[in-house]
Every structure is written in C-alpha cells, then in structure tokens.
Amino acid sequence: MFEQILDPFGGSVALSAVLAALPLLLLFVLLGVFRAKAWQAALAGLGLSLLLAVVVWKMPVVQALSGTAEGMFYGLFPILWILVNAMWIYKLTVETRWFEVLGRTIRSVSDDLRILSILIAFCFGALLESLAGFGAPVAISAAMLMAAGMKPLKSAMVSLLANTAPVAFGAMAAPIIALNGVTGLPIDQLSSMAGRQTPFIALIVPLVLVFLVDGRRGVRQTWPVALVAGLVFGGAQFVTSNFFAVELTDVVAAVLTVVAVLVMLRFWQPSTTVTGDDDEAVAEQGAAAQGGVSAVGGPTTTTTTTTTTTTLPRTGGGDGAQERPSTREVWMAIAPYLIIMAIFSLAQIPGIKHWLTEVGSVTFRWPGLDVVDSAGEPVGAQNFKLDHLKATGTLLLFSGIATMALYRIPFSRGLAIYKDTVHQLRWTILTVTAVLGLSFVMNLSGQTTSLGFALASAGGFFAFLSPLIGWIGVALTGSDTSSNSLFGQLQVTAAEQTGLSPVLMAATNSSAGVLGKMLSLQNLAVAAAAVGLAGAESTLFRRLVGWSLGLLVFVTALVVLQSTPVLGWMVP
C-alpha cells in the first residue's frame, strides 16, 4: 500500500508544492516559450512527474507506471473515443455535398456581415464545436466568413472570439467528462454548475462579435438579434446541461439559436445592411503572409483597398447572398445533427438508460494500484468506470453509421474516412493520452494534493484564483479537456481546504478556461492559416487579449459571487 505524503520535501508543504508544480511549469515553458509541439511538451511533463512521484513522493515504481497506464487509457476511452467518432461524423458530411449545402443555407439567409458573424461563427461554429472541436470550428467558420465577404484578419478574430461559449461542452462534453474522471465528482453536478456559468458568457459574445464587425454602429443596429442569440443559446445550455443530457448541450443550443435567429429575421431587419468590411490591417497582414512585412513590425509600403457598402436591408438575399437550397436539401444537410439528437434522446429514456447502465457499463479496480491519501482513505481514482455501450463515443459511432446509411456512403469509404480521421488526430491522441497520464500520476502520487494544500493558504481569495488557473491552463494547452485533466483535482483539493464548493471550483476551471482558448498558440495558428495570414498570430493575439481578459474579469466576478451567499443558491 502506498500512502500519499503532503510534505515529502523537507517537511514543507510550500517547498513540496513548488516541486509538484515543476511538471506543469515545464509543460507551459515548452509550449509558451520554446513553442514545442504539444505532444512533446506533454511527454516531457509526464516524464518529470513520474520521476518526482518515485524519487520525492516515494511512490512505488510499479504503481507509478500503473497510474500512468490508467490515465492514458482514460484518455483513449472515453475522451478520445468521443473525439474520433465526432470528427468522423463531421468528415462524413464533408465527404458529401451536404456540408456545402449547410453552409450555403446559412449564407443565403442574409448578406449582412453582422448577422452572418452570429449565424456562422457563433451558431454554426458551436455546432461544429459540439462534434469536432480542436480548432475545426475556427478554421471552417473563418473560411465561410471570408467567402461571405469579410476580410481575412477580421474573419479570424470573429471566429476565435466566437469559439468560447460552447467550448466547455464541446466534443460531446469531453471537458466535463474529463473533469468527472479526474475529480470523481458527480458528472450531473459538474454539468449543472457549468451550465449555470457559461450562459452568461453566451449572452455577451454575440454583442462583442457585432462590435468587432461594425463597431458601435453594429451594436446599436443589431443588438436585438445579438441579444436574442445570446439569450436562446445560454438558456438552451442551462436547460440541456441541467435537465437533459450534458453531451447534447451544444447541439441543442446551436440548433435552437439558428432557428430563433431565422425566425426573428422574418419579422425584423437592421436599419442598414453592411456587406463590406473595413480593416486597416488587412493589406499589412496580407503582405506579412507573403513575406513582405514582419507580423511584428517592419517597413513596407502597401496600399489598403477596402470596400464598405451600406444599403437598405434585403430579406430575400440579393447580390451578396447565395441562392437558398430547397427544403429537402436543408433537411438533408442538418440530418446528421438530428440523428445525433435522436439517438442521444433515445438513450435517455428510463428503460433504455437503465439497460445501458446495467449492460453497457462496468466498474473495476485498476490493477497494480493500492493508494490511500494522507488521512488513510482510499483514493477514488483507483476505481475505473468503463462505459462501452452507453459511452458518448459509442452513441456517436451509431450516429455515424446511421449518417452513412442516409448519405449512401459505402462501408469501405466510411472505413477509409475513419482511418483518415485517426491518422489526422494522431498527434492529438498522443498529446491527450500523455496529459491524462501526467494528470493521473500527479493525482495518485499526491503531487496535486500538495499543490492544492499550498494554494488553500489563500483562503477565501482562492475564489479569485480559480478562474485564472483554468484560463492559464487552456491558453497554454489549447484544450479545455487537457486543462480540466491537469487542474481539476487541484481545484477540488484547494476548495475543500478553504471551505469552498468543490463542484463550483471544478466547474469554474472549465467555464473560465474557455476564455483562454482564443489566445492559445494552437488556435491562433489554425485561425491564421485558415485565412491565409500565416505569421499573423501575434497580431491576432494583440487584438484579442483585451477581450479575453475582460471576459475573464466578468466570469471571475460571477464565480466570486457564486462562492458567497449572494449567488450561492446557484451551486448544486
């Protein structure tokens, strides 16, 4: 039996916490300073954590390796099982003409760039986030905005900022599922708490998007539709995550928001229509992409040509809008998302849900582990719950098979697309498994506990630190799932020592973390490449850092109030 030690280094919790932080510090320095590949940084952090676990925390080598294996397996199943199957469905739609039809349907609604920023970046981006995640929503929505007439730099900015509100429930709630795995807290409580935080972000984001596109005039003229989009999306997130199925949160929110915006546009239109874009940095960044000017400065002579036209609103399309597909085409285009909703809804029927739980789930003690905490209580991470039939990834696999049948994609072609999906995600798979291995080693060895006790010395002030920890985690790793895996247990430990709600602090790691995603190196690189401005990552960072920090301050204020009697009633 291995008993965790709180202060293994010099009998000091503070010094032990400094050592425990070294794997995370190494991970962040490699990513943020040396710009190493994410998988390389994750493997380096894992190696250092294993060394500290054995040498400093005196964890037996066999148990340390067994804990690593458990974390890596958890990364594969259920988290990557979700991601691979979700991405596969997305690639199935791209394989056919129906994905293009879906994009054409959205663009046919309006030729107003402010409306399109809500429909494409906010709504359609959220739909993609619910399935694909990991940069795909940013790349696709940015390309679609450019096709609609928005300039490259602004397209990237709008897509990055829009990819915030849905991230906590992205990839079929993979971040919340990961949080449940590393903390052991009930997933329904984590889902409910996150669903009582992210809607406030969703309420603000559409207003920020129209401001980015058209400044104060954009907010003044389009605030009604932006407000409706935020209210519907946030409301749907709350209801679905609290009372329905956490996996479907973003799907339901995105679909309902699209419907609400489309219905509203039938009865209301902004007083003017903005069909062009004015961005003073476009020519400069275009030159940067071609090597004519450094993204961080340098002399050059360029001519900026922009077109800004303002006309009366058009309700039936117009020169800037595409021809709207037929009703049948629209239904076929959204069919995969309807299939997913139907299958997940069936899985929630009490009889089916009970059968899936009884037959499709098994809990067992992970071999090679016998760990108790400093109080002598068994550590919960030793028990592994394996959902096979009822797993989110398995339900997505069924949804993909149904999509193949509907779109008449041959089995051999569907299998080839699946193999291509796994190959495309190979480095992501290595990164996630390494990060989960690191997380489990830190949790099982007691490194996370030492860190948590040290942070607990902040007392009630930890409520201010908790959102910042989540924000830093996502900004540096580029993934809410990875951040939750790294810091979820730390948040819980610190919360328990300071008398705060563990559920509140753990969910905050996810909810506040999403605001760091627009600044992560991975997402910035994806956005810059998608709009043809490779090398403009630093420009995008400077344009967005103020918005990211401003929203973080807003969420921090919300979390602090939720940690007090003022809004404490919101905590499950």
Side-chain angles (χ1 to χ4, degrees), residues 405-418:
L406 178 67
Y407 285 169
R408 298 182 181 179
I409 299 174
F411 177 80
S412 58
R413 183 56 189 155
L415 184 60
I417 294 173
Y418 200 98

Side-chain angles (χ1 to χ4, degrees), residues 16-68:
S16 300
V18 171
L19 280 184
L22 287 181
L24 301 176
L25 183 63
L26 175 63
L27 175 69
F28 294 160
V29 169
L30 288 176
L31 281 175
V33 179
F34 294 99
R35 299 195 176 187
K37 301 290 187 184
W39 64 269
Q40 295 172 336
L43 285 175
L46 171 59
L48 180 55
S49 179
L50 273 171
L51 182 64
L52 290 172
V54 173
V55 175
V56 180
W57 272 263
K58 308 302 181 183
M59 189 178 193
V61 174
V62 173
Q63 296 212 46
L65 293 176
S66 178
T68 303

Side-chain angles (χ1 to χ4, degrees), residues 137-163:
V138 172
I140 295 166
S141 59
M144 291 176 66
L145 287 171
M146 282 183 62
M150 190 177 291
K151 298 299 184 190
L153 191 66
K154 191 165 289 184
S155 297
M157 290 172 58
V158 168
S159 298
L160 283 165
L161 200 143
N163 191 223

Side-chain angles (χ1 to χ4, degrees), residues 390-403:
K390 68 171 291 189
T392 300
T394 304
L395 297 179
L396 284 173
L397 179 64
F398 294 153
S399 302
I401 294 172
T403 299

